[in-house]
Amino acid sequence: MKADTSKYNNSHLDTAIYEHIADYIIHVLIKEDVNAFNESKLLSELLVYKLPSVVHELMYRTICAEAGKLKGGEDINLIKEIGGINTQKRLHFRSQDQYNSFVALFFDALEQHPGLLEKVDDEEKFEKFMIYCIHEFRQKLEGFAIEIVKEHSKLEQENRLYIHRRNSPENVDIPTYADFIAGRIDGLVE
């Protein structure tokens, strides 16, 4: 079953959510390769445009996977898995608004599919479930960004562009980070 993303395209609140999620992805790109900073404005615009078609489905699939684990009898141990709620916020998110955007996305997915909470029977378990789903979702976005940086860096290294940053050879055409993201972001939900 596919999550309905048609209702997420024009709301001002949703635009803010996408901007914070885009900021998270860009932060990971820059952390992995400082040269991505040059494209940060373009990447932000591209991601805000592209994310609505991807993130709702990705969050839905993440919640389904974690709900399936709960149905299978597994328990969520946040301390063991990710270091707890406060550790999650402090280590991975740049602001409370960024974290809240991930939470809002989680709740949007649950509003669309309330049956996913079948095995979540108390508030503490729900909170653990939410934090764990956000963690897994964040890991997928981070893995996506890191993979793009690896591939981009490999192309730069093969063409020795790191030596000729300012005066790059004219016959070498390396895709930008925006090109990589535009071509691969839909693959996040496949």
Side-chain angles (χ1 to χ4, degrees):
M1 180 186 301
K2 187 173 180 177
D4 179 24
T5 59
S6 60
K7 75 172 206 151
Y8 302 111
N9 294 330
N10 295 323
S11 171
H12 177 68
L13 175 64
D14 289 332
T15 300
I17 290 171
Y18 303 134
E19 286 172 354
H20 287 295
I21 294 171
D23 183 49
Y24 178 81
I25 295 170
I26 292 167
H27 176 70
V28 172
L29 286 169
I30 292 171
K31 189 169 97 177
E32 295 295 318
D33 180 10
V34 73
N35 296 312
F37 181 77
N38 297 335
E39 294 183 52
S40 62
K41 178 72 173 152
L42 174 63
L43 287 171
S44 180
E45 291 171 3
L46 172 69
L47 285 167
V48 169
Y49 175 74
K50 288 286 213 171
L51 285 174
S53 64
V54 176
V55 294
H56 293 282
E57 180 68 19
L58 184 62
M59 181 60 86
Y60 167 71
R61 289 183 181 196
T62 302
I63 293 170
C64 284
E66 300 312 313
K69 289 178 184 177
L70 286 178
K71 287 179 184 176
E74 289 184 38
D75 190 30
I76 298 172
N77 184 345
L78 285 180
I79 302 297
K80 179 181 173 191
E81 298 286 332
I82 60 176
I85 295 167
N86 292 330
T87 302
Q88 173 77 356
K89 285 186 200 178
R90 190 174 59 245
L91 292 180
H92 301 293
F93 296 101
R94 297 178 76 188
S95 69
Q96 185 67 32
D97 289 337
Q98 194 176 66
Y99 174 75
N100 290 342
S101 295
F102 282 71
V103 171
L105 194 61
F106 173 80
F107 279 106
D108 280 343
L110 287 182
E111 285 177 14
Q112 291 290 316
H113 307 281
L116 294 173
L117 293 176
E118 190 176 293
K119 291 290 184 177
V120 180
D121 52 4
D122 66 11
E123 190 175 328
E124 183 181 346
K125 195 170 189 177
F126 175 78
E127 187 176 32
K128 287 179 178 181
F129 179 72
M130 178 185 74
I131 298 298
Y132 196 75
C133 288
I134 289 170
H135 170 73
E136 291 298 311
F137 177 79
R138 184 193 57 73
Q139 289 283 89
K140 290 175 184 176
L141 292 180
E142 189 172 308
F144 170 73
I146 289 171
E147 194 61 38
I148 285 176
V149 170
K150 284 180 182 176
E151 192 168 337
H152 189 268
S153 297
K154 181 180 176 189
L155 283 174
E156 280 191 339
Q157 190 172 19
E158 286 173 356
N159 291 293
R160 301 178 58 87
L161 289 183
Y162 60 92
I163 295 172
H164 308 286
R165 258 303 155 215
R166 289 185 176 207
N167 302 323
S168 63
E170 291 182 25
N171 59 355
V172 177
D173 188 27
I174 299 289
T176 64
Y177 280 111
D179 294 334
F180 275 101
I181 287 175
R184 291 181 175 88
I185 196 160
D186 294 330
L188 267 172
V189 293
E190 293 176 359

